[in-house]
Amino acid sequence: MQHEVMFAGFGGQGILMIGKILAHAALEEGREVAWIPSYGPEMRGGTAYCLVAISDRPIGSPIIKNPRHLVAMNRPSLEKFAAKVKPGGIILINSSLAPDKSGRPDVDELAVPVTDIAKDLGSVRAANIVALGAFVARSGIVSFESIQAAVKEEFAEKQKLIPLEMEALEKGRQAAAK
Amino acid sequence: MGKTFKKPEALTDAHTHYCPGCTHGVIHRLVAEVIDELGIRGRTVGIAPVGCAVLAYNYFNCDFQEAAHGRAPAMATGIKRVRPDLMVFTYQGDGDLASIGMGEIIHAANRGEKFTTIFVNNAVYGMTGGQMAPTTMPGQRTTTSPMGRNVADVGMPVQMAELLSTLKTPGYITRQSVIKPRYITRAKKAIKRAFEYQMAGKCFSMVEVVSTCPTNWGMTPVEAVKWAEDTLLSYYQLGEFKTPEQEG
Amino acid sequence: MGKKILMKGNEAIGEAAIRAGCLNYFAYPITPQSEVAEYLSKRMPEVGGVFLQGESEVAVGYMLFGASAAGARVFTTSSSPGVSLMSEAISYIAGAQCPCVFVNIIRGGPGLGGILPSQGDYFQSVKGGGHGDYRMLVMAPASVQEAVEMMMMAFPLAEKYRNPVMILGDGLIGQMMEPVEFPDDLRTEPTDKDAWATNGMETRGSDKRNLVKSLYLDPEMLNNHNLHLKAKYDQMRREEVRYEPFNLDGDYRMLVISYGTMSRVCKTAVENLKAEGLEVGMIRPQTLFPFPEEEIREAAGKESCKSVISIEMSMGQMVEDVERCVRGRRPVTWYGKCGGEVPTPEEIMQVIKERIDG
Ligand SMILES: Cc1ncc(C[n+]2csc(CCOP(=O)(O)OP(=O)(O)O)c2C)c(N)n1
Ligand code: SF4
């Protein structure tokens, strides 16, 4: 089974980073992975997105028009990509910055105010990690231990931030459970 | 500026794609105002560089050509030689003009080609993501000089206005800036003078404009202006370096 | 083999060169390969190597020529417009028989084109973008791992033939992140170049000087020189063809030829069609020069095979080579796109179904 997750939001929201952390966690679990960024003129100031493919078999086409899941960190990315998600997938919406409806009755929709949660934790910048925690908890795409390890690895050179990021993951998990 | 807040005719209605705090937009406006004031829009051809200003033709409302990276002065030469009556300007960044296009600009200036070059010096490669340029300051960190520009390894930043004014062929060479309102009036005068020399069939003209690139400098627009004023302007001094009236 | 790590194609290419034993890199920034230069501007100083950003791709081409002629292992990376500017140097390097490695992370053309993935530089790479009778050995990776392996093979091959080798990727290979490991067995020592390199007579302990040049004013000498070059290219044709066969065992009704990123999409399409009960065979050239001519000819000639299709992110370049191989024994068609949008597996399945019986 191949899972594809699209992470989308503003440039600067750490979109590419959470995609990379998820890919990393899956790799450590022995899965096949590919991380495909958006690059090109639309990057400047506009929407940033990346796609992570995770599979038990070698990944064929890295060109994926219809991802299984979507993590939409802002309104434009929800509007742009919600319709592309495969039926039965998860759409995680950052309800702090986007309306908490995707208009897709055929998906598992999850609205989490990740920006507000991150603000409460003391750093807006951790919003991406809150979203990652919520998505992983809901999808079970990798184990929670794997994602914790991958986040620690990502912040290995910024040890000071690790407690905050762990807390952010955990808050995400709790929000997804509600 | 000041007087005309109305959009010049030589600019289109398009919103520019430049980052907040980028000076490309201001420079476009000054050039457009000069084109309007001289009434030459109908016989002006601009040449876009390869750099952040590659889409300049979406913002200028006159004929335009798109050059390969660094080759705008050669294309301008081509136009002026077959149609001396057209008013021609190139609009180039520092990677475009001072690195890959160094040969073209020197030879065009030395032949005294009668076109005008607007040279936007922001001390980095903007479009490609902030790599080191020939104009990058000593110690300045860029994506290809992560420890800061090491002058023992790659030399000192190139001062194009000074370099071109050493040529014996008559020309008009000046360096201006637009980072603060008080520089802008003078910059516009210089651009106008450059176009007037061209109109009179007199000489090659280049206006170097010291600019900002907050995005790739990793600064806010306000920080960028301060850094440009403190660091760039002390190395890239403003003023007239050469006029055709003076002997070369 | 080491541990698998996640790396962006561009960075993995830079690291692979170092692992292969190449510590000299010259380049000029251009999207979508600037990350190689950015990575190596940090990494080369760490390993005591040379990193220099040249003033243009024209200059970079000759920095490689000079360094290589002086006996060093050297490489560069660029993208289409930059490779056009290097093409003059590539011709001189081939003429003077120096080993260099060029990486082209192709973007859309012609002219400024776009910056998204493309395979529009097939002719430029395979048929010679510069002047004169020369060939490069061209390898086209379909994954980041394969880019790493090809990079590591490129240096010994360049030295074996004293000829430029090109790695032809596309924007996706450069930008994508995949797991990679750096195979130990591809680590090679540079070969002995004393016989020809201008590395200084003292260095090689000889009082016979070496000359690196490509000028032969005497017609007979120039002809002989070109015959010698041709002999090398013929040897490549015999010894260096690399390709991946896919689903060729069964009774396939159509044969797909595709390389690089495009071939991954085609592979998925072929797998999906198989699941639907439709057999399609595929050959993925890993070397574009030398081209797997015999293999394509043979696979196309199979009884069950009714037609051949070349699927490429260009407006029909490789298809000319495919036609040359098939020699009219089966109808050959082309499908592709080159604006930067990579065709999807569904799109390829549709095209195959429409054309399956020729
Ligand atoms: C032959 C060639 N080499 C490299 C590039 C990639 N490239 C595009 S813009 C650019 C540099 C832009 O910097 P600059 O001229 O300083 O202008 P800015 O973007 O800062 O305004 C480069 C290297 C190209 N398009 N063509
Ligand atoms: S990258 Fe720099 S030069 Fe380009 S638009 Fe942004 S601020 Fe201006």
Side-chain angles (χ1 to χ4, degrees):
Chain A
M1 175 82 151
Q2 180 167 312
H3 292 271
E4 308 95 12
V5 192
M6 176 173 259
F7 294 93
F10 295 123
Q13 273 185 317
I15 301 297
L16 302 187
M17 181 205 271
I18 46 176
K20 199 175 120 194
I21 295 173
L22 177 63
H24 208 164
L27 174 68
E28 289 297 320
E29 289 189 355
R31 322 269 289 279
E32 298 286 342
V33 299
W35 172 94
I36 302 121
S38 58
Y39 76 96
E42 58 182 311
M43 264 174 75
R44 191 158 295 148
T47 313
Y49 63 89
C50 70
L51 213 138
V52 178
I54 300 176
S55 177
D56 298 322
R57 304 197 309 128
I59 290 164
S61 170
I63 305 304
I64 293 144
K65 281 254 164 80
N66 301 104
R68 188 163 297 275
H69 311 295
L70 168 68
V71 175
M73 292 289 282
N74 64 5
R75 178 194 276 265
S77 52
L78 180 67
E79 285 166 358
K80 190 163 172 193
F81 298 118
K84 301 195 182 211
V85 176
K86 287 193 185 115
I90 295 171
I91 297 186
L92 190 152
I93 302 167
N94 176 7
S95 54
S96 310
L97 300 180
D100 50 0
K101 283 283 167 286
S102 64
R104 288 282 309 265
D106 57 343
V107 301
D108 176 13
E109 182 180 284
L110 177 63
V112 180
V114 297
T115 305
D116 294 320
I117 294 177
K119 272 186 199 149
D120 291 344
L121 286 173
S123 169
V124 187
R125 302 193 63 174
N128 60 342
I129 305 292
V130 177
L132 183 64
F135 174 74
V136 168
R138 184 69 153 229
S139 63
I141 193 165
V142 294
S143 76
F144 214 75
E145 292 71 43
S146 299
I147 204 75
Q148 284 171 325
V151 170
K152 280 187 190 142
E153 171 115 15
E154 178 68 30
F155 289 92
E157 277 160 30
K158 297 176 191 157
Q159 287 285 337
K160 279 205 312 262
L161 286 178
I162 290 181
L164 169 72
E165 306 299 344
M166 288 299 119
E167 178 86 17
L169 266 186
E170 185 53 37
K171 286 280 189 258
R173 162 153 69 176
Q174 288 165 8
K178 273 178 214 154
Chain B
M1 289 256 282
K3 284 162 281 172
T4 46
F5 276 101
K6 211 177 89 245
K7 184 186 69 64
E9 238 189 283
L11 284 186
T12 65
D13 291 330
H15 279 288
T16 70
H17 67 289
Y18 301 116
C19 311
C22 177
T23 41
H24 271 305
V26 181
I27 302 167
H28 285 12
R29 189 184 169 96
L30 297 187
V31 173
E33 285 175 3
V34 166
I35 291 174
D36 277 11
E37 286 166 23
L38 296 175
I40 54 173
R41 191 169 74 90
R43 57 186 177 103
T44 296
V45 183
I47 305 181
V50 180
C52 280
V54 62
L55 297 179
Y57 41 74
N58 289 347
Y59 315 132
F60 282 106
N61 192 10
C62 61
D63 279 1
F64 245 82
Q65 301 183 354
E66 179 193 89
H69 194 26
R71 314 300 177 212
M75 291 183 70
T77 300
I79 308 174
K80 279 306 262 198
R81 292 287 167 142
V82 300
R83 286 291 306 274
D85 56 313
L86 293 176
M87 292 291 291
V88 176
F89 74 97
T90 72
Y91 186 104
Q92 303 178 257
D94 42 30
D96 196 79
L97 179 138
S99 191
I100 194 167
M102 184 65 115
E104 279 76 3
I105 191 66
I106 289 190
H107 285 287
N110 193 55
R111 286 189 305 261
E113 298 294 347
K114 286 152 196 71
F115 64 83
T116 301
T117 289
I118 308 295
F119 167 43
V120 181
N121 177 0
N122 60 13
V124 281
Y125 286 32
M127 178 179 231
T128 40
Q131 294 84 9
M132 189 180 73
T135 47
T136 295
M137 293 300 287
Q140 186 184 340
R141 282 171 199 261
T142 70
T143 53
T144 52
S145 61
M147 314 305 286
R149 181 189 184 118
N150 175 2
V151 296
D153 188 40
V154 297
M156 290 293 286
V158 177
Q159 295 169 316
M160 282 309 299
E162 288 83 340
L163 189 69
L164 290 187
S165 28
T166 63
L167 298 172
K168 298 294 178 209
T169 311
Y172 174 59
I173 309 289
T174 174
R175 185 183 288 119
Q176 302 293 331
S177 185
V178 291
I179 54 173
K180 282 195 171 164
R182 70 181 135 100
Y183 299 117
I184 293 180
T185 324
R186 248 181 299 152
K188 183 173 164 187
K189 267 202 197 116
I191 293 172
K192 193 160 184 179
R193 204 168 155 193
F195 273 84
E196 282 166 349
Y197 280 127
Q198 177 179 174
M199 230 155 127
K202 208 134 195 158
C203 63
F204 169 80
S205 50
M206 181 183 84
V207 184
E208 175 171 340
V209 187
V210 177
S211 304
T212 56
C213 179
T215 302
N216 287 302
W217 295 355
M219 296 180 190
T220 64
V222 175
E223 288 164 354
V225 167
K226 181 161 173 17
W227 187 80
E229 196 162 36
D230 295 349
T231 314
L232 292 184
L233 289 190
S234 59
Y235 185 77
Y236 296 113
Q237 276 162 20
L238 306 185
E240 312 271 52
F241 288 84
K242 183 169 167 171
T243 57
E245 289 78 24
Q246 86 204 40
E247 277 305 301
Chain C
M1 289 245 187
K3 187 169 149 359
K4 274 198 184 179
I5 48 174
L6 255 192
M7 270 184 114
K8 205 171 187 172
N10 280 334
E11 297 183 348
I13 283 169
E15 185 61 30
I18 292 177
R19 303 290 180 107
C22 175
L23 296 186
N24 304 297
Y25 175 77
F26 302 87
Y28 188 80
I30 185 167
T31 310
Q33 66 76 46
S34 296
E35 292 88 352
V36 187
E38 294 172 1
Y39 180 79
L40 290 177
S41 70
K42 281 196 209 76
R43 192 75 176 105
M44 279 302 185
E46 283 171 17
V47 295
V50 171
F51 166 86
L52 184 66
Q53 180 178 317
E55 68 272 31
S56 70
E57 291 90 347
V58 175
V60 165
Y62 290 97
M63 290 171 183
L64 259 71
F65 189 10
S68 160
R73 264 193 180 172
V74 62
F75 89 113
T76 188
T77 58
S78 189
S79 179
S80 313
V83 176
S84 291
L85 290 181
M86 291 175 182
S87 294
E88 182 191 71
I90 292 175
S91 167
Y92 280 76
I93 290 166
Q97 303 193 73
C98 290
C100 295
V101 174
F102 291 85
V103 179
N104 182 358
I105 300 296
I106 314 179
R107 54 190 247 179
L112 216 41
I115 58 175
L116 293 173
S118 160
Q119 296 180 326
D121 298 352
Y122 180 90
F123 280 156
Q124 184 195 50
S125 329
V126 169
K127 310 286 176 190
H131 60 283
D133 270 300
Y134 76 89
R135 298 287 189 161
M136 280 190 286
L137 199 157
V138 183
M139 292 189 274
S143 66
V144 176
Q145 178 65 35
E146 197 173 40
V148 161
E149 289 166 12
M150 286 177 172
M151 272 306 287
M152 296 179 82
M153 283 156 46
F155 295 97
L157 281 170
E159 285 163 15
K160 174 178 174 186
Y161 291 100
R162 286 180 54 193
N163 199 69
V165 170
M166 176 164 279
I167 306 294
L168 196 63
D170 59 62
L172 209 72
I173 296 288
Q175 296 294 324
M176 184 166 58
M177 222 189 266
E178 285 189 311
V180 284
E181 43 190 332
F182 295 91
D184 289 330
D185 60 333
L186 291 180
R187 217 160 281 187
T188 49
E189 286 300 317
T191 47
D192 183 5
K193 295 167 181 160
D194 285 354
W196 59 270
T198 55
N199 50 359
M201 289 193 279
E202 272 177 24
T203 309
R204 54 182 186 273
S206 159
D207 54 9
K208 189 184 127 308
R209 70 176 185 139
N210 283 340
L211 261 187
V212 173
K213 63 175 200 109
S214 60
L215 176 70
Y216 296 90
L217 289 174
D218 177 79
E220 198 184 324
M221 277 173 71
L222 182 55
N223 192 47
N224 286 341
H225 174 58
N226 270 294
L227 282 171
H228 171 67
L229 296 182
K230 180 174 185 306
K232 295 199 299 186
Y233 307 141
D234 288 342
Q235 187 187 348
M236 290 180 196
R237 288 189 173 100
R238 289 190 305 274
E239 297 178 15
E240 310 303 343
V241 171
R242 288 176 175 79
Y243 69 99
E244 183 196 3
F246 186 65
N247 203 36
L248 289 185
D249 295 333
D251 283 335
Y252 50 89
R253 286 166 62 188
M254 188 182 211
L255 178 67
V256 172
I257 317 294
S258 188
Y259 69 97
T261 291
M262 193 65 245
S263 70
R264 288 173 70 140
V265 180
C266 290
K267 227 173 174 178
T268 300
V270 167
E271 278 176 344
N272 292 350
L273 288 169
K274 195 179 174 77
E276 290 181 13
L278 193 61
E279 291 293 339
V280 176
M282 178 170 151
I283 285 182
R284 173 172 77 90
Q286 290 163 301
T287 50
L288 300 180
F289 182 87
F291 198 62
E293 300 179 10
E294 290 298 328
E295 294 74 8
I296 290 177
R297 186 170 310 138
E298 213 164 280
K302 191 165 184 170
E303 187 73 37
S304 61
C305 179
K306 297 286 177 281
S307 67
V308 181
I309 185 168
S310 175
I311 302 180
E312 32 183 315
M313 292 189 291
S314 59
M315 286 291 123
Q317 299 191 22
M318 181 174 69
V319 66
E320 294 190 7
D321 279 335
V322 174
E323 277 170 345
R324 189 167 56 79
C325 299
V326 175
R327 289 184 186 153
R329 292 162 73 186
R330 294 288 182 277
V332 174
T333 61
W334 158 87
Y335 183 75
K337 270 189 181 164
C338 71
E341 199 186 313
V342 183
T344 59
E346 294 71 28
E347 197 175 330
I348 301 299
M349 287 165 68
Q350 186 62 33
V351 171
I352 291 177
K353 283 179 188 164
E354 280 164 18
R355 304 194 191 166
I356 187 98
D357 290 318

